[in-house]
Coordinates of all heavy atoms in Angstrom, one line a residue:
M1 N -29.6 15.1 -34.5 CA -29.2 16.5 -34.6 C -28.7 17.0 -33.3 O -29.4 16.9 -32.3 CB -30.5 17.3 -35.0 CG -30.3 18.8 -35.1 SD -31.7 19.6 -35.8 CE -32.3 20.4 -34.3
Q2 N -27.5 17.5 -33.3 CA -26.9 18.0 -32.1 C -26.8 19.5 -32.2 O -26.5 20.1 -33.2 CB -25.5 17.5 -31.9 CG -25.4 16.1 -31.5 CD -24.0 15.7 -31.1 OE1 -23.1 16.1 -31.6 NE2 -24.0 14.8 -30.1
T3 N -27.2 20.2 -31.1 CA -27.2 21.6 -31.1 C -26.7 22.0 -29.7 O -27.1 21.4 -28.7 CB -28.6 22.2 -31.3 OG1 -29.0 21.8 -32.6 CG2 -28.6 23.7 -31.3
D4 N -26.0 23.1 -29.6 CA -25.5 23.6 -28.4 C -26.7 24.0 -27.5 O -27.6 24.8 -28.0 CB -24.6 24.9 -28.7 CG -24.0 25.5 -27.5 OD1 -24.2 24.9 -26.4 OD2 -23.5 26.6 -27.6
P5 N -26.8 23.6 -26.3 CA -27.9 23.9 -25.4 C -28.0 25.4 -25.2 O -29.1 25.9 -25.0 CB -27.5 23.2 -24.1 CG -26.6 22.1 -24.5 CD -25.9 22.6 -25.7
V6 N -26.9 26.1 -25.2 CA -27.0 27.6 -25.1 C -27.7 28.2 -26.2 O -28.5 29.1 -26.0 CB -25.5 28.2 -24.9 CG1 -25.6 29.7 -24.9 CG2 -24.8 27.7 -23.7
Y7 N -27.5 27.7 -27.4 CA -28.2 28.3 -28.6 C -29.7 28.0 -28.5 O -30.5 28.9 -28.8 CB -27.6 27.6 -29.9 CG -28.3 28.1 -31.2 CD1 -28.1 29.4 -31.6 CD2 -29.1 27.2 -31.9 CE1 -28.8 29.9 -32.7 CE2 -29.7 27.7 -33.1 CZ -29.5 29.0 -33.5 OH -30.1 29.4 -34.6
I8 N -30.1 26.8 -28.1 CA -31.5 26.5 -27.9 C -32.1 27.4 -26.8 O -33.2 27.9 -27.0 CB -31.7 25.0 -27.5 CG1 -31.3 24.1 -28.7 CG2 -33.1 24.8 -27.1 CD1 -31.3 22.7 -28.4
S9 N -31.3 27.7 -25.8 CA -31.8 28.6 -24.7 C -32.0 30.0 -25.3 O -33.0 30.7 -25.0 CB -30.8 28.7 -23.6 OG -31.2 29.6 -22.6
Y10 N -31.1 30.5 -26.2 CA -31.3 31.8 -26.8 C -32.5 31.8 -27.6 O -33.3 32.8 -27.6 CB -30.1 32.1 -27.7 CG -28.8 32.5 -26.9 CD1 -27.6 32.4 -27.5 CD2 -28.9 33.0 -25.7 CE1 -26.4 32.8 -26.9 CE2 -27.7 33.4 -25.0 CZ -26.5 33.3 -25.6 OH -25.4 33.7 -25.0
I11 N -32.8 30.8 -28.4 CA -34.0 30.7 -29.2 C -35.2 30.8 -28.3 O -36.2 31.5 -28.5 CB -34.0 29.4 -30.0 CG1 -32.9 29.5 -31.1 CG2 -35.4 29.2 -30.7 CD1 -32.7 28.1 -31.8
E12 N -35.3 29.9 -27.2 CA -36.4 29.9 -26.3 C -36.7 31.2 -25.6 O -37.8 31.6 -25.3 CB -36.2 28.8 -25.3 CG -36.2 27.4 -25.8 CD -35.8 26.4 -24.8 OE1 -35.1 26.7 -23.8 OE2 -36.2 25.2 -25.0
N13 N -35.6 32.0 -25.4 CA -35.7 33.3 -24.7 C -35.8 34.5 -25.7 O -35.8 35.6 -25.2 CB -34.6 33.5 -23.7 CG -34.7 32.5 -22.6 OD1 -35.7 32.5 -21.9 ND2 -33.7 31.7 -22.4
G14 N -35.9 34.2 -27.0 CA -36.1 35.3 -27.9 C -34.8 36.1 -28.2 O -34.9 37.2 -28.8
K15 N -33.7 35.6 -27.8 CA -32.4 36.3 -28.1 C -31.8 35.9 -29.5 O -31.0 36.7 -30.0 CB -31.4 35.9 -27.0 CG -31.8 36.5 -25.7 CD -30.8 36.1 -24.6 CE -31.2 36.6 -23.2 NZ -30.3 36.3 -22.2
R16 N -32.3 34.8 -30.0 CA -31.8 34.4 -31.4 C -33.1 33.8 -32.1 O -34.0 33.4 -31.5 CB -30.8 33.3 -31.3 CG -29.5 33.7 -30.6 CD -28.5 34.2 -31.7 NE -27.2 34.3 -31.2 CZ -26.7 35.4 -30.6 NH1 -27.3 36.5 -30.6 NH2 -25.4 35.4 -30.2
F17 N -33.0 33.8 -33.4 CA -34.0 33.2 -34.2 C -33.4 32.3 -35.2 O -32.5 32.7 -35.9 CB -34.9 34.3 -34.9 CG -36.1 33.7 -35.5 CD1 -37.2 33.5 -34.7 CD2 -36.2 33.4 -36.8 CE1 -38.4 33.0 -35.2 CE2 -37.4 32.9 -37.3 CZ -38.5 32.7 -36.5
P18 N -33.9 31.0 -35.2 CA -33.2 30.0 -36.1 C -33.6 30.2 -37.5 O -34.6 30.8 -37.9 CB -33.8 28.7 -35.6 CG -35.2 29.1 -35.0 CD -35.0 30.4 -34.4
S19 N -32.7 29.7 -38.4 CA -32.9 29.8 -39.8 C -34.1 28.9 -40.2 O -34.5 28.0 -39.4 CB -31.7 29.3 -40.6 OG -31.4 27.9 -40.4
V20 N -34.6 29.0 -41.4 CA -35.7 28.2 -41.9 C -35.2 26.7 -41.9 O -36.0 25.8 -41.5 CB -36.2 28.6 -43.3 CG1 -37.2 27.7 -43.9 CG2 -36.8 30.0 -43.2
E21 N -34.0 26.5 -42.3 CA -33.4 25.2 -42.4 C -33.4 24.5 -41.0 O -33.7 23.4 -40.9 CB -32.0 25.2 -43.0 CG -32.0 25.6 -44.5 CD -32.0 27.1 -44.7 OE1 -31.8 27.9 -43.7 OE2 -32.3 27.5 -45.9
Y22 N -33.0 25.3 -40.0 CA -32.9 24.8 -38.7 C -34.3 24.4 -38.2 O -34.5 23.4 -37.5 CB -32.2 25.8 -37.8 CG -32.0 25.3 -36.4 CD1 -30.8 24.5 -36.1 CD2 -32.9 25.5 -35.4 CE1 -30.6 24.0 -34.8 CE2 -32.7 25.0 -34.1 CZ -31.6 24.2 -33.8 OH -31.4 23.7 -32.6
I23 N -35.3 25.3 -38.4 CA -36.6 25.0 -38.0 C -37.1 23.7 -38.6 O -37.8 22.9 -37.9 CB -37.6 26.2 -38.4 CG1 -37.2 27.4 -37.6 CG2 -39.0 25.8 -38.2 CD1 -37.9 28.7 -38.0
E24 N -36.9 23.5 -39.9 CA -37.3 22.3 -40.6 C -36.6 21.1 -40.0 O -37.3 20.1 -39.7 CB -37.0 22.4 -42.1 CG -37.9 23.3 -42.8 CD -39.4 22.8 -42.8 OE1 -39.6 21.6 -42.8 OE2 -40.2 23.7 -42.8
K25 N -35.3 21.2 -39.7 CA -34.6 20.0 -39.0 C -35.2 19.7 -37.7 O -35.4 18.6 -37.3 CB -33.1 20.4 -38.9 CG -32.4 20.3 -40.2 CD -30.9 20.6 -40.0 CE -30.2 20.6 -41.3 NZ -28.8 21.0 -41.2
M26 N -35.4 20.8 -36.9 CA -36.0 20.6 -35.6 C -37.4 19.9 -35.6 O -37.7 19.0 -34.9 CB -36.1 22.0 -34.8 CG -36.3 21.8 -33.4 SD -36.4 23.4 -32.5 CE -35.2 24.4 -33.2
A27 N -38.2 20.4 -36.6 CA -39.5 19.8 -36.7 C -39.4 18.3 -37.1 O -40.2 17.5 -36.6 CB -40.3 20.6 -37.8
N28 N -38.5 18.0 -38.0 CA -38.3 16.6 -38.4 C -37.9 15.8 -37.3 O -38.4 14.6 -37.1 CB -37.3 16.5 -39.6 CG -37.8 17.0 -40.9 OD1 -39.0 17.0 -41.1 ND2 -37.0 17.5 -41.8
V29 N -37.0 16.2 -36.4 CA -36.5 15.5 -35.3 C -37.7 15.2 -34.3 O -37.8 14.1 -33.8 CB -35.4 16.2 -34.6 CG1 -35.1 15.6 -33.2 CG2 -34.1 16.2 -35.4
L30 N -38.5 16.2 -34.2 CA -39.7 16.1 -33.3 C -40.9 15.4 -33.9 O -41.9 15.2 -33.3 CB -40.1 17.5 -32.8 CG -39.0 18.2 -31.9 CD1 -39.5 19.7 -31.7 CD2 -38.8 17.5 -30.6
N31 N -40.8 15.1 -35.2 CA -41.8 14.5 -36.0 C -43.1 15.3 -35.9 O -44.2 14.7 -35.7 CB -42.0 13.0 -35.5 CG -42.8 12.2 -36.5 OD1 -42.7 12.5 -37.7 ND2 -43.5 11.2 -36.0
I32 N -43.0 16.6 -36.1 CA -44.2 17.5 -36.2 C -44.0 18.4 -37.4 O -42.9 18.5 -38.0 CB -44.3 18.3 -34.9 CG1 -43.1 19.2 -34.7 CG2 -44.6 17.4 -33.7 CD1 -43.3 20.2 -33.6
E33 N -45.1 19.0 -37.8 CA -45.0 20.1 -38.8 C -44.4 21.3 -38.3 O -44.6 21.7 -37.1 CB -46.4 20.3 -39.4 CG -47.0 19.1 -40.1 CD -48.4 19.4 -40.6 OE1 -48.5 20.3 -41.4 OE2 -49.3 18.7 -40.2
S34 N -43.6 22.0 -39.1 CA -42.8 23.1 -38.6 C -43.6 24.2 -38.0 O -43.2 24.9 -37.0 CB -41.8 23.6 -39.7 OG -42.6 24.0 -40.8
Y35 N -44.8 24.5 -38.5 CA -45.6 25.6 -38.0 C -45.9 25.4 -36.5 O -46.1 26.3 -35.7 CB -46.8 25.9 -38.8 CG -48.0 24.9 -38.6 CD1 -48.9 25.1 -37.6 CD2 -48.1 23.7 -39.3 CE1 -49.9 24.2 -37.3 CE2 -49.1 22.8 -39.1 CZ -50.0 23.1 -38.1 OH -51.0 22.2 -37.9
K36 N -46.0 24.1 -36.1 CA -46.3 23.9 -34.7 C -45.3 24.3 -33.7 O -45.6 24.5 -32.5 CB -46.6 22.4 -34.5 CG -47.9 21.9 -35.2 CD -48.2 20.5 -35.0 CE -49.4 20.1 -35.7 NZ -49.7 18.6 -35.6
L37 N -44.1 24.6 -34.2 CA -43.0 25.1 -33.3 C -43.3 26.5 -32.9 O -42.7 27.0 -31.9 CB -41.7 25.0 -34.0 CG -41.1 23.6 -34.3 CD1 -39.9 23.7 -35.2 CD2 -40.8 22.9 -33.0
F38 N -44.2 27.2 -33.6 CA -44.5 28.6 -33.3 C -45.8 28.7 -32.4 O -46.2 29.8 -32.0 CB -44.7 29.4 -34.5 CG -43.4 29.5 -35.3 CD1 -43.2 28.6 -36.3 CD2 -42.5 30.5 -35.0 CE1 -42.0 28.7 -37.1 CE2 -41.3 30.6 -35.7 CZ -41.1 29.7 -36.8
L39 N -46.4 27.6 -32.1 CA -47.7 27.7 -31.3 C -47.3 27.7 -29.8 O -46.4 27.0 -29.4 CB -48.5 26.5 -31.6 CG -49.0 26.4 -33.1 CD1 -49.8 25.1 -33.3 CD2 -49.8 27.6 -33.5
P40 N -48.1 28.4 -29.0 CA -47.9 28.3 -27.6 C -48.1 26.9 -27.1 O -48.9 26.1 -27.6 CB -49.0 29.2 -27.0 CG -49.4 30.1 -28.1 CD -49.2 29.3 -29.4
A41 N -47.3 26.5 -26.1 CA -47.3 25.2 -25.5 C -48.7 24.7 -25.0 O -49.0 23.6 -25.1 CB -46.3 25.0 -24.4
D42 N -49.5 25.7 -24.5 CA -50.8 25.3 -24.0 C -51.9 25.4 -25.0 O -53.1 25.2 -24.6 CB -51.1 26.2 -22.8 CG -51.2 27.7 -23.1 OD1 -50.7 28.0 -24.2 OD2 -51.7 28.4 -22.3
L43 N -51.6 25.6 -26.2 CA -52.6 25.7 -27.3 C -53.1 24.3 -27.7 O -52.3 23.5 -28.0 CB -52.0 26.4 -28.5 CG -53.0 26.7 -29.6 CD1 -54.0 27.8 -29.2 CD2 -52.2 27.2 -30.8
E44 N -54.4 24.1 -27.6 CA -55.0 22.9 -28.0 C -55.5 23.0 -29.4 O -56.6 23.7 -29.6 CB -56.1 22.5 -27.1 CG -56.8 21.2 -27.4 CD -55.9 20.0 -27.4 OE1 -55.1 19.9 -26.4 OE2 -55.9 19.2 -28.3
I45 N -54.8 22.5 -30.4 CA -55.1 22.7 -31.8 C -56.5 22.2 -32.2 O -57.2 22.9 -32.9 CB -54.0 22.1 -32.7 CG1 -52.7 22.8 -32.5 CG2 -54.4 22.1 -34.2 CD1 -51.5 22.1 -33.1
N46 N -56.8 21.0 -31.7 CA -58.1 20.4 -32.1 C -59.3 21.2 -31.7 O -60.4 21.1 -32.3 CB -58.2 19.0 -31.6 CG -57.1 18.1 -32.2 OD1 -56.7 18.3 -33.4 ND2 -56.7 17.1 -31.5
S47 N -59.2 22.1 -30.7 CA -60.3 22.8 -30.2 C -60.4 24.2 -30.7 O -61.4 24.9 -30.4 CB -60.2 22.9 -28.6 OG -59.1 23.7 -28.2
L48 N -59.5 24.6 -31.6 CA -59.6 26.0 -32.2 C -60.1 26.0 -33.6 O -59.9 25.1 -34.3 CB -58.2 26.6 -32.2 CG -57.5 26.9 -30.9 CD1 -56.1 27.4 -31.1 CD2 -58.3 27.9 -30.1
A49 N -60.9 27.0 -33.9 CA -61.3 27.2 -35.3 C -60.1 27.6 -36.1 O -59.1 28.2 -35.6 CB -62.4 28.3 -35.3
N50 N -60.1 27.4 -37.4 CA -59.0 27.6 -38.3 C -58.6 29.1 -38.3 O -57.4 29.4 -38.3 CB -59.3 27.2 -39.7 CG -59.3 25.7 -39.9 OD1 -58.7 25.0 -39.1 ND2 -60.0 25.2 -40.9
D51 N -59.5 30.0 -38.2 CA -59.1 31.4 -38.3 C -58.4 31.9 -37.0 O -57.5 32.7 -37.0 CB -60.3 32.3 -38.5 CG -61.5 32.2 -37.5 OD1 -61.6 31.1 -36.9 OD2 -62.3 33.1 -37.4
V52 N -58.8 31.3 -35.8 CA -58.1 31.7 -34.6 C -56.7 31.1 -34.6 O -55.7 31.8 -34.3 CB -58.9 31.1 -33.4 CG1 -58.1 31.3 -32.1 CG2 -60.2 31.8 -33.3
L53 N -56.5 29.9 -35.1 CA -55.2 29.3 -35.2 C -54.3 30.1 -36.2 O -53.2 30.4 -35.8 CB -55.4 27.8 -35.7 CG -54.1 27.0 -35.9 CD1 -53.3 27.0 -34.6 CD2 -54.4 25.7 -36.4
Y54 N -54.9 30.4 -37.3 CA -54.1 31.2 -38.3 C -53.6 32.5 -37.6 O -52.5 32.9 -37.8 CB -55.0 31.5 -39.5 CG -54.4 32.5 -40.4 CD1 -53.4 32.1 -41.3 CD2 -54.8 33.8 -40.4 CE1 -52.8 33.0 -42.2 CE2 -54.2 34.7 -41.3 CZ -53.2 34.3 -42.2 OH -52.6 35.2 -43.0
N55 N -54.5 33.2 -36.9 CA -54.1 34.5 -36.3 C -53.1 34.4 -35.3 O -52.2 35.2 -35.2 CB -55.4 35.2 -35.7 CG -56.3 35.7 -36.8 OD1 -55.8 36.1 -37.9 ND2 -57.6 35.8 -36.5
K56 N -53.1 33.3 -34.5 CA -52.1 33.1 -33.5 C -50.7 32.8 -34.1 O -49.7 33.3 -33.7 CB -52.5 32.0 -32.5 CG -53.6 32.3 -31.6 CD -53.5 31.6 -30.3 CE -54.6 32.0 -29.4 NZ -54.2 33.1 -28.6
I57 N -50.7 32.0 -35.2 CA -49.5 31.7 -35.9 C -48.9 33.0 -36.5 O -47.7 33.3 -36.4 CB -49.7 30.6 -36.9 CG1 -50.0 29.3 -36.3 CG2 -48.5 30.5 -37.8 CD1 -50.5 28.2 -37.2
K58 N -49.8 33.7 -37.2 CA -49.4 34.9 -37.8 C -48.8 35.9 -36.8 O -47.7 36.5 -37.1 CB -50.6 35.6 -38.6 CG -50.3 36.8 -39.3 CD -51.5 37.4 -40.0 CE -51.2 38.7 -40.7 NZ -52.4 39.2 -41.3
E59 N -49.4 36.1 -35.7 CA -48.9 37.0 -34.7 C -47.5 36.5 -34.2 O -46.6 37.4 -34.0 CB -49.9 37.0 -33.5 CG -49.5 37.9 -32.3 CD -50.5 37.8 -31.2 OE1 -51.7 37.6 -31.4 OE2 -50.0 38.0 -30.0
S60 N -47.4 35.3 -33.9 CA -46.1 34.8 -33.4 C -45.0 34.9 -34.4 O -43.9 35.4 -34.1 CB -46.2 33.3 -33.0 OG -47.1 33.1 -32.0
V61 N -45.3 34.6 -35.7 CA -44.3 34.7 -36.7 C -43.9 36.2 -37.0 O -42.7 36.5 -37.1 CB -44.7 34.0 -38.0 CG1 -43.8 34.3 -39.1 CG2 -44.8 32.5 -37.8
T62 N -44.9 37.0 -37.0 CA -44.7 38.5 -37.2 C -43.8 39.0 -36.1 O -42.9 39.8 -36.3 CB -46.0 39.2 -37.2 OG1 -46.8 38.7 -38.3 CG2 -45.8 40.7 -37.4
K63 N -44.0 38.7 -34.8 CA -43.2 39.1 -33.7 C -41.8 38.6 -33.9 O -40.8 39.4 -33.6 CB -43.8 38.7 -32.4 CG -45.0 39.4 -31.9 CD -45.5 38.9 -30.6 CE -46.7 39.6 -30.1 NZ -47.2 39.0 -28.8
A64 N -41.6 37.4 -34.3 CA -40.3 36.8 -34.4 C -39.5 37.6 -35.6 O -38.4 37.9 -35.4 CB -40.4 35.3 -34.7
I65 N -40.2 37.8 -36.7 CA -39.6 38.5 -37.8 C -39.2 39.9 -37.4 O -38.1 40.4 -37.7 CB -40.5 38.5 -39.0 CG1 -40.6 37.0 -39.6 CG2 -40.0 39.4 -40.1 CD1 -41.6 36.8 -40.6
D66 N -40.1 40.6 -36.7 CA -39.8 42.0 -36.2 C -38.6 42.0 -35.3 O -37.8 42.9 -35.4 CB -41.0 42.6 -35.5 CG -42.2 42.9 -36.4 OD1 -42.0 43.0 -37.7 OD2 -43.3 43.1 -35.9
Y67 N -38.5 41.0 -34.5 CA -37.4 41.0 -33.6 C -36.1 40.8 -34.3 O -35.1 41.4 -34.0 CB -37.6 39.8 -32.6 CG -36.4 39.6 -31.7 CD1 -36.2 40.5 -30.6 CD2 -35.4 38.7 -31.9 CE1 -35.1 40.3 -29.7 CE2 -34.3 38.5 -31.1 CZ -34.2 39.4 -30.0 OH -33.1 39.2 -29.2
V68 N -36.1 39.9 -35.3 CA -34.9 39.7 -36.1 C -34.5 40.9 -36.8 O -33.3 41.3 -36.8 CB -35.1 38.5 -37.1 CG1 -34.0 38.4 -38.1 CG2 -35.3 37.2 -36.4
F69 N -35.4 41.7 -37.4 CA -35.1 42.9 -38.1 C -34.5 43.9 -37.1 O -33.6 44.7 -37.5 CB -36.3 43.4 -38.9 CG -36.5 42.8 -40.2 CD1 -37.7 42.1 -40.4 CD2 -35.6 42.8 -41.2 CE1 -37.9 41.5 -41.6 CE2 -35.8 42.2 -42.4 CZ -37.0 41.5 -42.6
E70 N -35.1 44.0 -35.9 CA -34.6 45.0 -34.9 C -33.1 44.6 -34.6 O -32.3 45.6 -34.5 CB -35.4 44.9 -33.6 CG -36.7 45.6 -33.7 CD -37.5 45.4 -32.4 OE1 -36.9 45.1 -31.3 OE2 -38.7 45.6 -32.4
Q71 N -32.8 43.4 -34.4 CA -31.5 43.0 -34.0 C -30.5 43.3 -35.2 O -29.4 43.7 -34.9 CB -31.4 41.5 -33.7 CG -32.2 41.1 -32.5 CD -31.8 41.9 -31.2 OE1 -30.7 41.9 -30.9 NE2 -32.8 42.6 -30.6
H72 N -30.9 43.1 -36.4 CA -30.0 43.4 -37.5 C -29.8 44.9 -37.8 O -28.8 45.3 -38.3 CB -30.5 42.7 -38.8 CG -30.2 41.2 -38.8 ND1 -30.5 40.4 -37.7 CD2 -29.7 40.4 -39.7 CE1 -30.1 39.2 -38.0 NE2 -29.6 39.1 -39.2
Q73 N -30.7 45.7 -37.4 CA -30.6 47.1 -37.5 C -29.5 47.7 -36.6 O -29.0 48.8 -36.8 CB -31.9 47.9 -37.3 CG -32.9 47.6 -38.4 CD -34.3 48.3 -38.0 OE1 -34.4 48.9 -37.0 NE2 -35.2 48.2 -39.0
N74 N -29.2 47.0 -35.5 CA -28.2 47.4 -34.6 C -26.8 47.2 -35.1 O -25.9 47.7 -34.5 CB -28.4 46.7 -33.2 CG -29.7 47.1 -32.6 OD1 -30.2 48.2 -32.8 ND2 -30.3 46.2 -31.8
Y75 N -26.6 46.5 -36.2 CA -25.3 46.2 -36.7 C -24.9 47.2 -37.7 O -25.4 47.7 -38.4 CB -25.2 44.8 -37.3 CG -25.4 43.7 -36.3 CD1 -26.6 43.0 -36.1 CD2 -24.4 43.4 -35.4 CE1 -26.7 42.0 -35.2 CE2 -24.5 42.4 -34.4 CZ -25.7 41.7 -34.4 OH -25.8 40.7 -33.4

């Protein structure tokens, strides 16, 4: 999978949000489940209770969705 490094930088800095298809492709390339792309890098999954993990994922995804809606309202 080839992707423009600038686009990846935009995603990492919250300036763009990838499509669901792109997220799935990225997860497949990295050989991980797609939800793990939304976890903080320093999060140790094995040491967290399920409810804490769920809340962190929910918070991250909610922020990302809110950001996308904010950006589209400006158009």
